[in-house]
Amino acid sequence: MSRALHLLEILARAGGSARLKEISETAALTVPTTHNLLNTLVALGYVRRRQGDTRYHLGDRILNIARVAGNDAQLRERLRPTLKKLYDATQETVFLAVPSGDEIYFLDAIESRKLLHVAAQPGERVGMTGSAIGQLFLAHNASLRARTDVPPGIRDELDRIARDGYAVDHERVFDGIAAVAVPLIEDGEMLAGFGVAAPGNRLTPDLFPSLAARMHQIIADHA
């Protein structure tokens, strides 16, 4: 365990990524031993690989720990103007969510002023498979998806989400509630997710594609 933690420290000091030989030499371990330890950390989600990249990178699980330890307030403040733009454009309840371990944490929200609306839920945590925003993270994060018990009926939907760039829920989780969620991608990784939630009789499936496109445009312009 101590050797594995040392490898994480080496990756952190190297700026978050390093090649196998560099890690091995710094840790004073053989290449095969280093490779085996790194593979274990990859399986656990603490280290990750990128397609076409020979380096090892700090994984989402360790980055989530760092985020929870001190970056939530900063991220909320940075993305609050974007959330406000989404609210201004839709007048529906909007929210910002991030991963927290193997759950989704609702970091910020603005509640709709319409008579019938979805209640805001900042501070709430939900499972990855229990919301549109959770499925968004599963679709964009292979290591998270690999260690999550994904129901068979959701697997095909995750492929669609990854392809189309948005996730939806129409009264699947909560009766009478619909939601559309889109990702915030930075440096090739999904950093956070934005969502719009409304009564299902107002946010109907035929509106999902156009709303998702509008959300993507707002995030591209303001995030």
Side-chain angles (χ1 to χ4, degrees):
M1 178 61 72
S2 62
R3 293 189 299 178
L5 291 174
H6 185 42
L7 297 189
L8 292 176
E9 291 174 350
I10 291 170
L11 282 172
R13 288 197 297 268
S17 64
R19 289 179 170 79
L20 175 61
K21 184 177 180 181
E22 177 186 350
I23 300 170
S24 172
E25 291 175 349
T26 304
L29 296 172
T30 65
V31 168
T33 297
T34 304
H35 184 260
N36 289 337
L37 288 169
L38 288 169
N39 281 347
T40 298
L41 291 170
V42 168
L44 293 172
Y46 292 105
V47 171
R48 59 187 167 83
R49 305 294 302 277
R50 292 178 177 175
Q51 187 173 2
D53 189 341
T54 60
R55 295 172 297 173
Y56 289 84
H57 300 258
L58 288 176
D60 58 282
R61 221 168 188 182
I62 195 69
L63 293 174
N64 289 345
I65 292 172
R67 180 191 55 75
V68 171
N71 293 335
D72 275 357
Q74 181 181 0
L75 186 62
R76 185 188 300 112
E77 181 178 0
R78 177 165 77 87
L79 296 179
R80 179 72 179 191
T82 305
L83 195 67
K84 182 65 166 58
K85 290 292 184 181
L86 285 172
Y87 175 78
D88 291 343
T90 64
Q91 298 298 303
E92 301 288 2
T93 296
V94 295
F95 54 86
L96 170 69
V98 292
S100 180
D102 290 339
E103 296 179 311
I104 290 299
Y105 176 66
F106 289 91
L107 189 61
D108 199 2
I110 302 174
E111 190 168 311
S112 174
R113 295 180 182 178
K114 293 181 180 180
L115 182 61
L116 295 177
H117 66 271
V118 176
Q121 46 197 346
E124 185 178 346
R125 298 174 188 271
V126 298
M128 284 288 171
T129 60
S131 65
I133 202 82
Q135 292 181 34
L136 198 67
F137 277 100
L138 290 174
H140 285 83
N141 190 313
S143 63
L144 185 61
R145 183 174 178 175
R147 64 174 187 269
T148 300
D149 186 15
V150 180
I154 292 179
R155 291 171 188 164
D156 290 342
E157 179 66 6
L158 295 181
D159 293 335
R160 184 208 62 76
I161 293 168
R163 182 183 68 250
D164 295 345
Y166 66 93
V168 301
D169 174 19
H170 191 262
E171 304 186 21
R172 182 181 61 240
V173 179
F174 300 107
D175 289 342
I177 295 177
V180 176
V182 300
L184 172 63
I185 306 291
E186 292 188 353
D187 298 324
E189 302 294 330
M190 183 176 168
L191 176 65
F194 289 95
V196 174
N201 61 355
R202 195 158 66 226
L203 181 51
T204 51
D206 60 299
L207 299 176
F208 290 164
S210 60
L211 176 57
R214 192 176 187 188
M215 293 168 70
H216 273 294
Q217 187 60 58
I218 291 170
I219 292 169
D221 290 343
H222 301 282

